[in-house]
Structure formats: C-alpha cells, structure tokens
Amino acid sequence: MMTEHVLITGGAGFIGSHLTRRFHAAGHRVTVLDAFTPQVHGNPDAVADTVRRLEEVAHVIRGTVESVEHIRQAIRDATIVIHLAAETGTGQSMYEIDRYVATNVGGTAKLLDVLGEGAHAVRRIVLASSRAVYGEGSYRTADGRVVYPPHRSATEMAAGRFDVTMSGEGPLTVIPTSEDALVHPSSVYGITKHAQESLVMTVAPALGVEPVTLRYQNVYGPGQSLKNPYTGILSIFSTLIRLGKDINIFEDGLESRDFIYIDDVVEATYRATLDPRADGAVLNIGTGASVTVRDVVAALLDAYGSDVPTHVSGRYRVGDIRHNVADVERARHLLGFAASVPFETGVRAFAEWVRSESVESDAYERSLDEMASRRLLS
C-alpha cells in the first residue's frame, strides 16, 4: 500500500484525533492543523495535554483554516487532505452566523485557493459534511410518493404539533434519506455544509484534485467534547447525569436521529480516503437505523445506573429537524462499509469513558438562555 502524507484540518477534534491515530497506526504520515478553540478543547492546560498526546502520532500545527499562511504551512508535501475543521452546532449557528460562515465557507474557500496556487502534491480532498444539508429529509406519502417536506413552522411547534406535515398531503412516514435527496438545509450550519460541498465538488476537479464528500450522521463515542454545549446530546445528557441534574427533553421526545459510533466513522472515512472508487462520491455515513431522544435518555440512565428526573417539556429550537435516518446503501456498495457497533453497545462504551473523565459545571443552561434571548428557543 502506498504511504500517504495526510493533512487533517480540525485534526485535534473528536473525529480528527481518532482519524489521526488510525492513519498513524497504518504507517501513514499525519499533519494536524487545529485552532484549539476553548469551546471545544477547554482551558490551556487541557489544550496542552491534547497537543502532547497528538504529537506522539502527528506533526501538530496550531493554526486556523481562516489563515492562508497557516494552510500553506500545513499542506506542504501533503498528498491527501481530510477537511474536518468547522464550527459545529445547529443551534449556535442560528445566531453566530458570521463566525460559522467565515470558518466553514471561508476556510474551505481559502483551502481551495491554496490548492489553486499549484505548489502542492495533494491528489484527494475528503470533506466532512453533515446530514444537516437535507433539512427534514425524505418522507413517503400515503399513496407511496417520496416527498421532501418544508421546515416545520414555529406556529405548529408552539401548539405542540411536532410531526412533519406538507400542504395538501395526509400523514407522512419518514424513510431513509439517500444522497440523491433534495438538499434544503434548515439551519445556518446546514447551509454552510452545503456551501462547503458545492465548493469542493466543483473546484477540486478543476484543480486536478479528487473530491470526496462524507455526510456524517450523529457521531458519538469516547473522546467527544464534554465541554461544548452546542453539539452532541449524548455528551450534554451525560454531563447532566454526572452532575445530578434533571434532564429536559425537548418537543415530545419522539424526535429521532441516526447515531453512529466513532469507530465506525473512522473506518468509513479511512476507506473513503484511500479507495480509488470513492473519487467524486458523495456518501452518507450512518447506520440506517434511528433512535428516539427518549430512548437515548433511557439508555444513558441505564448505562450510568442513574435515576435523575427527566421531563418532556415541549420546548423546541428553531432549526431543529424532526427525524433523521440515512440510506447507507451507497457506502455499502462502493466501500463495502456497514456500521458494526449497535447503539446499545456504543452507549455503554461511551458511558464507561465518560466515568473516567472530569466533568465541569456544564454550560448547557447558558447556551439555552442565549438561544432564548434571541427567540430561537421556546
């Protein structure tokens, strides 16, 4: 197998740090470019510890994709770029619009600008995108048609009607969303991921670089940030449980997501990075199964042996989707990839890891107050 020099932007983050170790273990050379933002990585001592551990397996550059100079420094001699660096969080994106666009869209544009300068060895760029590009995703009507419903209205949700509806249609049934589904994001975060995809899939081939887009579903597992209150309900709920605080379940708790364990995400990404057949592909990376938020809470309480009170509040966030389940057949066919870790197994492994971590006073309530003050949470 050819030895690659892999640049991973955002390589110190949750997915990036796992990927770094995977490529290093397989004999590849790895460079990490990461901004080490406090929201994700915590205080300077925590950052220093992360850097120390990463330097055992990679060359680490502290910098940002918003800097052309940092990108030029990091990309030197790289043969593959895995572009993970991004601001994440559906809720926060709705009121930190400029920051999300500057990092996600602007950073991707700068990366492509550097590739366009010609002085590089990069042959493939793998973009970490998101299922957020689909908005509400795919549904089937009573007479069997596949439709793509519009975003839910605040009026309907305020009345406690959370299910997805479509004018002129009867009851809709959620179905797995394929890569060919309508792209119509319902959040600023989703819009920026769609823009990233469009940039990479359009510009990279013109530069002689192979593009690959991976639409990750809801990734979880050991190493997930327990400090960032804007992403990952498993981390949020785990922190609340460890602190002995009540869990507030939004909507009616029947909203669902496709949760995929970090080891499966790493395996899928590793294959998509190196497999020649992935050139030009857009792939869902998920399990093809959905889990409701109520079931998430029950699984976590069982894993921790906890009985903290839970409340189904009926509150809702602007920009949230109702359901999410991926059609994963394309990744199965193209890469021979199928997720192997059942949700129940992954949750227990995640909880075991969380028990070994220090849990700080959570910032979750502050994040909710911030959204409420901007009329994005009711």
Side-chain angles (χ1 to χ4, degrees):
M1 182 182 66
M2 176 180 174
T3 299
E4 305 285 357
H5 177 189
V6 184
L7 166 62
I8 305 179
T9 71
F14 171 38
I15 299 173
S17 58
H18 283 268
L19 277 174
T20 295
R21 289 177 172 80
R22 176 70 170 89
F23 277 94
H24 172 78
H28 301 286
R29 177 183 170 196
V30 183
T31 294
V32 165
L33 174 66
D34 202 290
F36 294 96
T37 57
Q39 179 172 303
V40 176
H41 295 279
N43 60 39
D45 288 341
V47 169
D49 184 57
T50 298
V51 171
R52 178 186 56 77
R53 286 184 280 111
L54 276 176
E55 285 181 336
E56 296 173 357
V57 294
H59 173 52
V60 180
I61 298 173
R62 187 163 185 170
T64 172
V65 290
E66 294 180 60
S67 165
V68 168
E69 290 306 317
H70 291 163
I71 296 170
R72 285 183 184 136
Q73 178 186 359
I75 211 168
R76 190 175 298 122
D77 300 327
T79 56
I80 288 176
V81 176
I82 302 177
H83 186 34
L84 298 171
E87 298 291 350
T88 60
T90 299
Q92 189 183 42
S93 77
M94 299 296 284
Y95 62 89
E96 295 260 3
I97 299 167
D98 182 65
R99 181 159 71 94
Y100 273 68
V101 171
T103 301
N104 299 3
V105 183
T108 303
K110 286 181 172 62
L111 173 59
L112 292 168
D113 271 344
V114 171
L115 290 174
E117 293 173 350
H120 65 80
V122 175
R123 63 176 184 83
R124 174 170 288 191
I125 178 170
V126 179
L127 173 68
S129 186
S130 167
R131 69 84 41 219
V133 301
Y134 296 123
E136 288 292 348
S138 303
Y139 283 73
R140 194 179 302 281
T141 63
D143 60 0
R145 289 173 292 115
V146 176
V147 295
Y148 308 104
H151 314 317
R152 296 179 294 168
S153 73
T155 301
E156 287 291 297
M157 290 194 286
R161 294 188 289 269
F162 301 115
D163 284 332
V164 170
T165 60
M166 197 169 183
S167 178
E169 300 290 351
L172 301 175
T173 302
V174 65
I175 61 174
T177 299
S178 77
E179 295 88 348
D180 297 323
L182 178 69
V183 170
H184 64 144
S186 59
S187 67
V188 172
Y189 172 67
I191 291 169
T192 66
K193 300 311 285 186
H194 182 211
Q196 284 185 304
E197 288 189 12
S198 298
L199 287 168
V200 169
M201 300 305 288
T202 301
V203 177
L207 302 176
V209 177
E210 301 172 351
V212 181
T213 288
L214 304 180
R215 290 175 177 165
Y216 294 143
Q217 308 301 300
N218 290 65
V219 187
Y220 73 100
Q224 191 167 2
S225 177
L226 300 175
K227 304 174 180 67
N228 188 349
Y230 299 99
T231 59
I233 64 169
L234 274 84
S235 290
I236 292 168
F237 289 162
S238 291
T239 298
L240 293 173
I241 291 170
R242 289 283 307 278
L243 294 172
K245 295 186 176 183
D246 294 11
I247 294 178
N248 179 3
I249 300 173
F250 285 2
E251 301 187 19
D252 57 5
L254 299 179
E255 59 273 33
S256 62
R257 301 291 184 266
D258 186 334
F259 292 96
I260 180 166
Y261 193 66
I262 182 62
D263 290 359
D264 283 328
V265 169
V266 168
E267 178 61 24
T269 306
Y270 185 82
R271 294 189 190 192
T273 300
L274 299 179
D275 195 323
R277 294 171 296 180
D279 178 14
V282 177
L283 301 170
N284 286 333
I285 304 301
T287 67
S290 62
V291 182
T292 70
V293 174
R294 290 195 190 196
D295 287 341
V296 168
V297 173
L300 286 171
L301 291 176
D302 180 65
Y304 290 111
S306 173
D307 60 356
V308 299
T310 62
H311 311 281
V312 178
S313 67
R315 300 184 80 184
Y316 60 90
R317 297 190 311 178
V318 175
D320 273 356
I321 61 162
R322 178 63 169 169
H323 296 299
N324 165 37
V325 59
D327 183 328
V328 296
E329 286 308 308
R330 185 178 293 179
R332 188 191 308 273
H333 174 74
L334 190 66
L335 302 177
F337 168 77
S340 62
V341 181
F343 181 71
E344 297 77 11
T345 303
V347 164
R348 290 198 169 276
F350 174 66
E352 183 177 351
W353 170 77
V354 172
R355 286 194 187 96
S356 69
E357 297 294 303
S358 61
V359 177
E360 305 169 8
S361 180
D362 72 286
Y364 182 52
E365 289 300 326
R366 289 198 304 274
S367 72
L368 297 184
D369 290 343
E370 181 70 21
M371 291 197 68
S373 72
R374 297 169 184 268
R375 294 178 292 181
L376 296 169
L377 172 67
S378 297

